Amino acid sequence: MTQKAQEEWMDVGSVEELSQRPLQQITVGNTRMALSYKDGVFGAIHGACNHAGGPLGQGSLEGDYVVCPWHQWRFHRIQGQGERGFEEDVVPAYHVRIHNGRVEVSSVPHKKRAKKPHAPHPLARTP
């Protein structure tokens, strides 16, 4: 029987500072993440897009979806799944909490990465 990994909470900054931008790239331990803020709620997903590894934290926030700046793939800012029709594509998602005016992010994802098989892009070529 395996024991569920314990969450380790990492302080990433003040609520006051981090709530100023809807989307930003942060680093938790050695993991690059996209931290979002909307309607008083923070969300954190892995910073690398499933498609080509684009920097999700440098993208944009459209509704509840983080949009990759490279090819516009979209992932839910809290749950990590792809937009409607692409829910099988999931980037790791992390719990976020507020403690004493500070934003803390778990270093253990509550959703794991999943990649749906896709046909190669029409312009893709073997290097």
Side-chain angles (χ1 to χ4, degrees):
M1 179 168 130
T2 60
Q3 185 176 359
K4 183 180 176 183
Q6 291 285 59
E7 289 183 311
E8 182 178 331
W9 295 98
M10 308 292 282
D11 184 315
V12 296
S14 73
V15 170
E16 183 178 350
E17 178 185 336
L18 295 173
S19 63
Q20 298 301 309
R21 295 173 45 199
L23 183 65
Q24 57 201 298
Q25 184 169 289
I26 62 169
T27 302
V28 176
N30 292 325
T31 304
R32 184 180 66 194
M33 294 183 190
L35 181 72
S36 59
Y37 181 77
K38 181 182 174 214
D39 299 329
V41 177
F42 285 97
I45 59 175
H46 198 279
C49 179
N50 273 4
H51 178 226
L56 292 174
Q58 295 176 18
S60 59
L61 190 63
E62 290 182 11
D64 281 327
Y65 289 87
V66 173
V67 181
C68 182
W70 288 3
H71 303 102
Q72 288 68 57
W73 280 40
R74 291 166 171 77
F75 298 93
H76 193 273
R77 68 184 200 88
I78 295 173
Q79 297 302 320
Q81 78 270 12
E83 66 182 324
R84 188 174 183 171
F86 298 93
E87 296 92 346
E88 293 177 57
D89 281 305
V90 179
V91 293
Y94 302 83
H95 289 128
V96 181
R97 72 181 183 186
I98 307 300
H99 184 71
N100 293 330
R102 307 289 296 176
V103 178
E104 296 180 342
V105 178
S106 173
S107 61
V108 178
H110 67 87
K111 287 270 181 93
K112 295 188 183 227
R113 188 177 303 273
K115 294 183 180 184
K116 178 180 178 182
H118 295 276
H121 188 279
L123 298 178
R125 62 181 172 82
T126 304

